[in-house]
Structure formats: structure tokens, C-alpha cells
Amino acid sequence: FTITGTPTVSGVFNYTVTASGSSCTNLSKSGTITVNADATITLTSATGTDGQTVCVSTGITSIKYTIGGSGTGASVSGLPTGVTGTFSGGVFTISGTPTVTAGSPYTYVVTTTGPCIKPTATGTITVNANSTLTLTSGTASPTVCINNAITTIKYTIGGGATSASLTSGSFPAGVTGSFAGGVFTISGTPTVSGSFPYTISASGPCVNASLS
């Protein structure tokens, strides 16, 4: 009597095999087949938490995966520095505060552990840099005679900045500012006298630098 095949369901299956004969005592033998399920992994934090964007030095929204089936735990790779994963009570949680932007976006892979098939889950964490603003040409506070051109002043943006603009103060009549190609340029010939304080600010998704 041969028992063979491929189980398609999980569980504990107790069986008894009994010999048969014409008139004598018929012996029986029992056994158990234990079928482990494959591990499962399911995102159980809010929809979209596995594809979030944050600023550097800002904590992420915790990402939670519930491990089921025969899964006994999980591990993760590909996280930015400052973000870690921990397993407890059947849930794998990714949390922390990213401290770097190099390599962003970060694609992470969570891999389950267990005796059978070990599925994985992937996600991304995009870390945006704070903006920077640097004086790269001219002097920030020139003094000139009326009707004489100023030396061109240039401010270059960097980091997560996407633009720059005049955010307070003003330029004297005849002097203008414009942004192009990552540089905010102040140039022209003042046609009035006086002192004209100004502030240039970068703009972007995170902390934005200013210079005056």
C-alpha cells in the first residue's frame, strides 16, 4: 500500500491504513502528514506608505507588513541610512528618519523567512534634499554710483531646490533679477540712489535656504 502525491492544502492530516483479510485479525498502522503553508506577506499600513517621499532628516510614516502562513519572520535590504526594519508579533515594521539623500529613491525588498516558499515585497522611499543657495559671482552688497552698472550678482541653487526668487526687499529702478538654468542673476544700471536691502530664497520641497 503506497501513499504518494502532492498536497494542495495545508494542515495536519491523520490517517490509518488497515490490512484486510478473509477471516483473521486485520492490523492497522497510523501516521500523520503535516503540510506547511507557504509564507505570506501583506502590506497592512496605509495604502501608499510603501511608496512615500520625505525630506532628509524627517521621519517616514511607518510601513507595516503582516507575515502569515508558515512565515516565521522577515528581513529587509535597500533602506536609506537611518531607517530600519524590525519583526515582532507577526508584523514587520519599517521606520526611522533618513539621514542621507545619495542613492534616492531607495528601493527596498522585504524577504520572509519560513520552511516553505518565502515571498517578498518591495517598495520605495524617496528622500529629498534640503535646498542650497550659494553666491557664485559678484558681491552681495555692492556700492555703485547712480547710472553706473552693477557687477552682475549670481546665486546658484542646489540640493532639492528647483528655483529661486526675490522674496523680500527690492532692487533699485534699472536693476532686475531673473532665474534660469539653476542660477538667479541680478544685473542692470540703477537710475535712483539709496540703499536697497533684498533677500533671495530658493524654493523646493524641503527646507529652503535664503541669502540677503
Side-chain angles (χ1 to χ4, degrees):
F1 186 85
T2 303
I3 301 172
T4 60
T6 301
T8 57
V9 293
S10 60
V12 177
F13 301 88
N14 299 309
Y15 67 87
T16 301
V17 178
T18 303
S20 58
S22 58
S23 61
C24 299
T25 301
N26 294 316
L27 298 177
S28 297
K29 291 290 185 181
S30 298
T32 301
I33 299 173
T34 301
V35 183
N36 288 321
D38 294 332
T40 62
I41 182 169
T42 306
L43 178 70
T44 48
S45 55
T47 300
T49 51
D50 58 344
Q52 58 184 288
T53 299
V54 297
C55 293
V56 66
S57 300
T58 300
I60 68 168
T61 300
S62 292
I63 308 166
K64 296 181 181 292
Y65 292 94
T66 297
I67 309 302
S70 63
T72 57
S75 61
V76 65
S77 61
L79 294 175
T81 301
V83 178
T84 58
T86 57
F87 179 77
S88 178
V91 178
F92 189 80
T93 302
I94 299 172
S95 60
T97 300
T99 58
V100 294
T101 60
S104 180
Y106 297 88
T107 299
Y108 65 83
V109 180
V110 179
T111 303
T112 56
T113 58
C116 298
I117 292 176
K118 305 170 184 63
T120 62
T122 61
T124 58
I125 299 173
T126 301
V127 184
N128 287 324
N130 293 328
S131 69
T132 62
L133 188 65
T134 307
L135 178 67
T136 51
S137 180
T139 177
S141 302
T143 298
V144 296
C145 292
I146 192 170
N147 296 321
N148 282 264
I150 66 170
T151 299
T152 299
I153 307 167
K154 294 185 177 183
Y155 292 94
T156 299
I157 63 171
T162 57
S163 184
S165 61
L166 175 69
T167 53
S168 70
S170 64
F171 303 131
V175 175
T176 59
S178 62
F179 177 81
V183 178
F184 187 86
T185 302
I186 303 170
S187 61
T189 301
T191 57
V192 292
S193 61
S195 179
F196 301 87
Y198 67 87
T199 298
I200 307 300
S201 299
S203 59
C206 297
V207 176
N208 293 313
S210 296
L211 290 175
S212 298

